[in-house]
């Protein structure tokens, strides 16, 4: 518990210090990090929708298949857009 109370071990102190170091790139860093989080969430959600699509094909519930196909394609496109935005902004931070 002593490590958490010290400045060097406090995660919020470290993040604050990192944001000060980024200076003019702070906004780009936040947008990049948000796109990374959203892309990850969408990438996790996509197999669940694809599983529902396969189940509906297996049980021949043809009503839901077009909606699920559109949802799978939409999730893929949105996820790839977020990955591209992340990679564009991330170039400023890499050495």
């Amino acid at each position: 518990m002593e490590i958490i109370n010290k400045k060097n071990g406090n995660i919020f102190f470290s993040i604050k210090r990192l944001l000060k170091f980024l200076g003019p790139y702070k906004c780009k860093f936040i947008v990049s990090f948000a796109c990374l989080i959203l892309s990850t969430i969408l990438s996790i959600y996509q197999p669940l929708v694809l599983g529902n699509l396969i189940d509906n094909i297996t049980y021949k519930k043809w009503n839901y298949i077009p909606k699920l196909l559109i949802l799978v394609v939409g999730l893929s496109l949105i996820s790839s857009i977020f990955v591209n935005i992340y990679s564009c902004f991330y170039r400023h931070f890499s050495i």
Side-chain angles (χ1 to χ4, degrees):
M1 290 308 270
E2 294 178 24
I3 295 174
I4 295 173
N5 293 333
K6 293 181 181 179
K7 276 188 174 181
N8 293 337
N10 190 351
I11 187 84
F12 296 112
F13 178 74
S14 299
I15 292 173
K16 231 176 164 181
R17 203 166 147 205
L18 176 67
L19 289 177
K20 283 181 185 178
F21 174 72
L22 291 174
Y25 302 110
K26 190 184 298 186
C27 183
K28 290 180 181 180
F29 176 75
I30 292 171
V31 169
S32 174
F33 191 70
C35 286
L36 178 66
I37 296 292
L38 289 172
S39 171
T40 303
I41 290 171
L42 290 175
S43 295
I44 291 171
Y45 187 65
Q46 188 177 2
L48 295 172
V49 176
L50 195 57
N52 284 339
L53 176 67
I54 291 170
D55 288 342
N56 284 326
I57 291 172
T58 304
Y59 297 120
K60 297 181 181 174
K61 296 180 181 177
W62 305 114
N63 300 350
Y64 300 109
I65 292 175
K67 294 175 187 175
L68 289 173
L69 278 173
I70 292 171
L71 187 59
V72 167
V73 170
L75 285 174
S76 297
L77 288 175
I78 292 170
S79 179
S80 66
I81 288 171
F82 282 136
V83 167
N84 287 331
I85 291 172
Y86 163 73
S87 65
C88 286
F89 284 125
Y90 187 73
R91 284 186 220 148
H92 294 286
F93 307 119
S94 62
I95 296 174

